[in-house]
Amino acid sequence: MDLVANTLLSAGASPAMLHTIEEIPDFTPHVRALYVNVGTLSANWLPSMKAAAQLASQLGKPWVLDPVAAGASGFRLNACLELVQLKPTVIRGNASEIIALSRASVGPTKGVDSSHESMDAMEAARCLAEASGAIVAVSGAVDIVTDGRRVVGAHNGVPMMQKITATGCSVTALIAAFVAVDPLHAFEATASALSVYGIAGEMGMSMAKGPASLRMHMIDCLHGLDQAALLSRTNITALS
């Protein structure tokens, strides 16, 4: 939650972190976008996640799902499937998470790390996008984004970003912020957020000595990112 909040603040967004179901009716109507992350899933928190997603959908507000370790347990997978039924605008996960969610069965996932490459999950992502109506993003060496028909790849980022916990959670939050700004172009907003986060990682890596300093510099670079850097560094290509 710390890195997620700092990522959003650095990008100019205004996050609020909620868990209790009693606050959902007061907060959700006022948000520009909702982000549901199942990373620290519990039976007590799931009802508030579902209530927030349902209310966001009813109000026509975009919402984004991060199905953390979706295939690691039956409870976690079923919870993610229930959330998918509530029509997220975007689903972002690593390859193993997206494959497990697409297959809707407990597969050999490796917790929140990915034992698959993003390109391995392209067909699973397409199927999930078609079945759910969501934009599906798969993080990896190349970040994949698909709406079931179009597929693009965002080629920005550095391998050491995978050595920092919650970078996946944070880029999903950034996707939610981008979609909040341009909800009618969620596909483009998702690809742009992935590229921007990767650019911040590239710029931060030039000053970093390891994962801890990369975390700090990545936040600083995201905050200071300007148009010139975006135009020169953005690397998004059509894959289909």
Side-chain angles (χ1 to χ4, degrees):
M1 289 179 67
D2 170 73
L3 185 55
V4 167
N6 283 318
T7 295
L8 289 170
L9 288 168
S10 295
S14 179
M17 313 298 206
L18 305 177
H19 293 133
T20 178
I21 194 169
E22 287 79 9
E23 290 190 303
I24 299 304
D26 293 324
F27 272 86
T28 307
H30 302 290
V31 302
R32 295 277 299 277
L34 171 71
Y35 169 35
V36 176
N37 181 298
V38 302
T40 51
L41 185 64
S42 72
N44 292 330
W45 285 4
L46 181 57
S48 60
M49 294 177 179
K50 292 168 66 175
Q54 189 168 26
L55 184 53
S57 293
Q58 289 173 355
L59 296 172
K61 295 178 182 290
W63 76 276
V64 179
L65 172 65
D66 193 324
V68 180
S73 72
F75 171 69
R76 187 170 286 269
L77 180 60
N78 288 332
C80 289
L81 291 174
E82 290 176 13
L83 287 164
V84 170
Q85 292 299 313
L86 298 175
K87 300 297 181 183
T89 309
V90 182
I91 302 169
R92 200 290 318 170
N94 65 36
S96 294
E97 292 159 355
I98 296 302
I99 289 170
L101 198 55
S102 184
R103 290 175 178 172
S105 61
V106 178
T109 59
K110 186 186 171 188
V112 298
D113 300 319
S114 179
S115 56
H116 299 85
E117 290 297 327
S118 58
M119 301 300 284
D120 299 335
M122 188 183 297
E123 190 56 35
R126 280 182 186 267
C127 293
L128 181 59
E130 290 174 356
S132 65
I135 306 300
V136 176
V138 189
S139 293
V142 177
D143 298 324
I144 305 299
V145 183
T146 182
D147 59 3
R149 296 178 295 104
R150 298 171 292 173
V151 184
V152 300
H155 301 262
N156 296 106
V158 294
M160 194 174 288
M161 293 170 72
Q162 298 177 12
K163 301 295 185 181
I164 306 170
T165 189
T167 51
C169 300
S170 298
V171 77
T172 312
L174 194 63
I175 289 169
F178 276 45
V179 173
V181 172
D182 196 0
L184 297 180
H185 299 95
F187 182 86
E188 292 82 357
T190 299
S192 297
L194 288 162
S195 183
V196 165
Y197 197 68
I199 290 169
E202 292 170 0
M203 295 174 68
M205 192 65 222
S206 67
M207 298 175 280
K209 296 181 179 179
S213 55
L214 175 58
R215 184 186 193 273
M216 176 186 69
H217 289 304
M218 191 164 57
I219 293 171
D220 286 347
C221 290
L222 182 60
H223 175 71
L225 202 57
D226 59 19
Q227 187 178 36
L230 285 177
L231 291 175
S232 64
R233 288 176 173 270
T234 298
N235 187 1
I236 300 173
T237 62
L239 300 178
S240 175

